[in-house]
Amino acid sequence: MNYQRPKGTNDILPGESEKWQFVEETARLLFGDYQYQEIRTPMFEHYEVIARSVGDTTDIVSKEMYDFRDKGDRHVTLRPEGTAPIVRAYVENKLFGPEHKKPYKVYYTGPMFRYERPQKGRLRQFHQIGIEAFGSENPSLDVEIVAMAMDYFNQLGIRKIRLVINSIGDKETRAAYRQALIDYLEPFEAELSEDSKRRLHENPLRVLDSKDKKDKPIVVNAPSILDYLSEPAKKHFNAVTETLKYLEIDFEIDHRMVRGLDYYTHTIFEIISDAPGMGAQSTICGGGRYDGLVEELGGPAVPGFGFAMGIERILLTLEQEDVLVPAINNLDAYVVGIGERTNMEVLKVVQAIRGFGYSADRDFMERKAKAQFKSADKQGAKLVLTLGEDELEKGQINVKALASHREKTFSLEEVYQQFNEVYDEMMTFIIED
Ligand code: HAM
C-alpha cells in the first residue's frame, strides 16, 4: 500500500494556504476592476474538446493527458488547461448572444493536470489563474489584457519580470511560414529529434517549441515568422507594439516564441521571472489571441484573447523576491477559562463575540491558565478575556488589551449585548503625557 501523494502533486497546508488565498484574492479584486466575472467549468471534459483546441500534435495532447474511459465508455480527460473548456462553455451556453456584454470577460482559477516530468515549478496537478475575453479584434484589447497581467504582478510586489511578445499571424501567415519553415528544416531532417522529425510535416511550428538539445541549434537560425505576416496580421501586430509603447509598457519581441498550444493567432505573449533561483520553469504567465477557436468548437466566428498564470510559480517568485505575504487571519479575542465550571460559559462568550463579526478562539485541551495566556499571545490576540469561577458567579469577565496592557472588568451582559462597544473601548489607546 502506498500512502504517499501521487508524484507531481502537492498538499497545500495551513501556513502555505494563506499565501494561496492572498494570490487568488489579489487576482479577484484586480480582475473585478477590469470587469471580469468568475466562471467555473468541470475538472474533466470530453477528450475531443481538448484535442481539437490544443492540437493533436502538441506535447499536452500527445503525451501529457490524464485521459481515460469512464464507466459509460466515454473518452474523457482531466483538463490540462482552462481555455478549451471555457470556449466549450461559451459555445454551449450561447454566451455570444445579444443579451451578453461584449467583450465577454471571464476569469477562473483552479487545478489543471498534465502528465509532465515533475521538477521545481512543474507539477502534474498545478493551479492556474486565468482570464478569457471574447468578441473583440481590437489590438487595444490585447494590450489591456497584457497590461492587466503586468499590473497583477506589480500589485503582488513582483518586480523582476520581463514581457516577451510575438505574433503568429493569421491563417495566411501560417500557411506561408509553414512552407518556409519546412524548406529550412528539411536539409536538417536527419539531425532532428524523433519528435521533430515526425512534426516536420505534420506541424512544423511545433519544432520551434522543441526543448530537445538536438533541435535547439537548428532552430536558432530558422526564418522569422514576422517576415511572413500577412498585411492584416502586420497591421494588428504593429498596433499592439505601438500601443504598448504608448502606455510605456516595456517588452521584447521573440520571433521564435510559438507557445505550446495550437489555437493561437496574432499576438502571443509570456511573462518571465528573472528572479534568481527560478530554475528552468520561469514562465509565470502565458497567453494570446485565438481568433478561430470558438468556430472550431462549433460556435460563431468570435475572436478571443486570454492568459493563464501558474500559481505555484507565482509563489516561487514571491519567495525568490523575498516578498512578505500579509497575514490575513488575525485574532481579535482569546477567551481564557479558569476552572472546569467555566467551560460552557467560555463557549457562549466566543460564540457571542463571533456573532458580532469578530474572530475569537478558546482552549479545548484543558490547558492551565498560564498556557492559555501563552496561546493567546502566540495567536496574536488583540484582546484576552478571562473568566474564572469567581467571575462567573458574579456575572463578570476581565478584558485585557495586549498591546496597551489596559485591563477592565465588564459584566458578561455587556459582552453579550454590545461586544462591539467593549472592543472599541478597549482598543482605543489613551495616550498619556
Ligand atoms: P500554458 O503556457 O500552457 O498556457 O500555461 C500557462 C501557465 O501555467 C504557464 O506559464 C505556467 O506558469 C503554468 N504551468 C503550465 N504547466 C505547468 C506545470 N506543469 N506545472 C506548473 N505550472 C504550469 C495555457 O494553459 C493557456 N490556456 C493560456 C491561455 C489562456 N491562452 C489563452 N488563454
Side-chain angles (χ1 to χ4, degrees):
M1 210 25 147
N2 186 350
Y3 290 126
Q4 287 176 336
R5 60 179 188 264
K7 198 174 160 187
T9 66
N10 270 333
D11 298 315
I12 302 154
L13 306 176
E16 193 59 25
S17 56
E18 288 81 357
K19 297 179 194 160
W20 285 70
Q21 289 173 8
F22 168 68
V23 162
E24 288 165 349
E25 205 43 43
T26 306
R28 272 182 216 290
L29 291 173
L30 181 73
F31 297 173
D33 287 348
Y34 280 80
Q35 297 292 291
Y36 282 78
Q37 292 177 292
E38 188 179 9
I39 186 169
R40 301 187 192 204
T41 64
M43 228 68 91
F44 61 96
E45 291 281 345
H46 289 298
Y47 180 89
E48 271 308 304
V49 169
I50 309 294
R52 272 288 286 262
S53 317
V54 174
D56 284 321
T57 55
T58 58
D59 279 351
I60 295 177
V61 171
S62 65
K63 298 179 183 165
E64 300 168 359
M65 294 274 265
Y66 274 95
D67 63 315
F68 57 98
R69 295 208 171 263
D70 72 5
K71 290 182 172 36
D73 204 33
R74 297 172 199 92
H75 193 186
V76 292
T77 182
L78 298 185
R79 61 182 188 193
E81 59 108 48
T83 311
I86 288 167
V87 172
R88 195 265 312 133
Y90 179 80
V91 174
E92 187 169 345
N93 297 287
K94 299 195 172 49
L95 302 175
F96 45 79
E99 68 275 32
H100 296 292
K101 200 167 148 277
K102 286 187 180 60
Y104 191 79
K105 294 171 160 184
V106 289
Y107 75 85
Y108 55 96
T109 154
M112 306 293 163
F113 308 86
R114 297 184 193 175
Y115 192 82
E116 295 198 78
R117 205 161 35 79
Q119 61 180 78
K120 190 174 178 182
R122 189 161 76 191
L123 289 124
R124 289 183 174 168
Q125 173 174 331
F126 62 99
H127 299 75
Q128 285 185 342
I129 299 175
I131 67 103
E132 312 293 346
F134 296 95
S136 169
E137 281 180 340
N138 190 333
S140 282
L141 180 73
D142 303 27
V143 176
E144 182 186 86
I145 290 173
V146 170
M148 181 166 84
M150 295 299 275
D151 257 10
Y152 173 68
F153 292 124
N154 193 35
Q155 277 205 4
L156 286 181
I158 291 174
R159 298 282 175 267
K160 295 180 186 126
I161 48 171
R162 199 153 42 87
L163 167 64
V164 184
I165 66 165
N166 191 24
S167 169
I168 49 170
D170 46 19
K171 264 200 192 117
E172 197 189 327
T173 305
R174 278 191 307 284
Y177 183 61
R178 181 192 153 91
Q179 198 48 53
L181 200 54
I182 293 175
D183 292 346
Y184 168 80
L185 289 170
E186 265 178 343
F188 300 104
E189 189 163 353
E191 298 157 49
L192 288 172
S193 69
E194 287 311 309
D195 271 346
S196 292
K197 272 182 198 148
R198 187 167 44 78
R199 285 165 172 165
L200 173 57
H201 292 281
E202 274 177 15
N203 190 354
L205 233 69
R206 293 267 69 86
V207 178
L208 290 188
D209 203 32
S210 168
K211 306 281 173 286
D212 200 293
K213 277 199 292 288
K214 280 176 153 176
D215 301 330
K216 280 192 167 168
I218 299 170
V219 160
V220 167
N221 296 314
S224 164
I225 191 161
L226 297 177
D227 295 331
Y228 293 83
L229 293 184
S230 68
E231 274 315 310
K234 210 180 285 171
K235 197 168 155 232
H236 188 93
F237 192 52
N238 285 342
V240 168
T241 54
E242 285 307 307
T243 311
L244 283 168
K245 284 182 204 153
Y246 193 63
L247 270 74
E248 296 175 22
I249 299 170
D250 290 335
F251 64 94
E252 297 163 21
I253 296 175
D254 176 0
H255 70 82
R256 269 184 295 273
M257 180 172 79
V258 289
R259 307 216 2 89
L261 307 101
D262 278 351
Y263 48 61
Y264 291 115
T265 59
H266 297 283
T267 321
I268 52 175
F269 76 100
E270 287 186 353
I271 297 172
I272 321 273
S273 163
D274 283 330
M278 285 298 289
Q281 309 303 320
S282 56
T283 305
I284 53 177
C285 176
R289 185 165 273 288
Y290 46 86
D291 287 352
L293 187 55
V294 174
E295 236 179 329
E296 185 74 30
L297 290 190
V302 174
F305 195 110
F307 66 69
M309 323 184 275
I311 299 186
E312 286 83 355
R313 290 189 195 174
I314 294 173
L315 291 170
L316 211 56
T317 314
L318 286 170
E319 205 175 291
Q320 297 300 330
E321 290 203 22
D322 291 323
V323 177
L324 270 179
V325 174
I328 36 186
N329 195 14
N330 39 27
L331 186 60
D332 294 317
Y334 191 100
V335 184
V336 173
I338 308 169
E340 219 176 283
R341 281 193 288 131
T342 63
N343 193 14
M344 228 157 55
E345 197 69 29
V346 166
L347 187 58
K348 194 171 169 188
V349 175
V350 282
Q351 287 298 82
I353 293 173
R354 290 166 183 153
F356 278 93
Y358 295 88
S359 57
D361 205 1
R362 57 158 287 179
D363 169 70
F364 286 103
M365 309 307 294
E366 284 80 38
R367 289 191 183 88
K368 297 252 174 351
K370 203 173 153 198
Q372 292 188 46
F373 288 121
K374 222 167 147 185
S375 301
D377 216 31
K378 228 169 128 186
Q379 288 179 243
K382 291 184 193 142
L383 296 182
V384 177
L385 289 78
T386 310
L387 185 71
E389 291 181 345
D390 282 355
E391 277 103 345
L392 179 61
E393 215 99 302
K394 291 190 220 148
Q396 290 179 335
I397 190 162
N398 176 275
V399 183
K400 183 174 178 182
L402 286 194
S404 63
H405 300 290
R406 279 182 71 201
E407 234 178 297
K408 189 177 166 182
T409 300
F410 290 86
S411 73
L412 277 171
E413 229 19 62
E414 282 174 291
V415 170
Y416 291 140
Q417 298 304 324
Q418 50 201 46
F419 178 75
N420 47 335
E421 286 174 22
V422 172
Y423 182 89
D424 286 348
E425 183 183 336
M426 293 307 292
M427 292 304 288
T428 309
F429 287 73
I430 301 166
I431 302 162
E432 290 170 19
D433 46 24

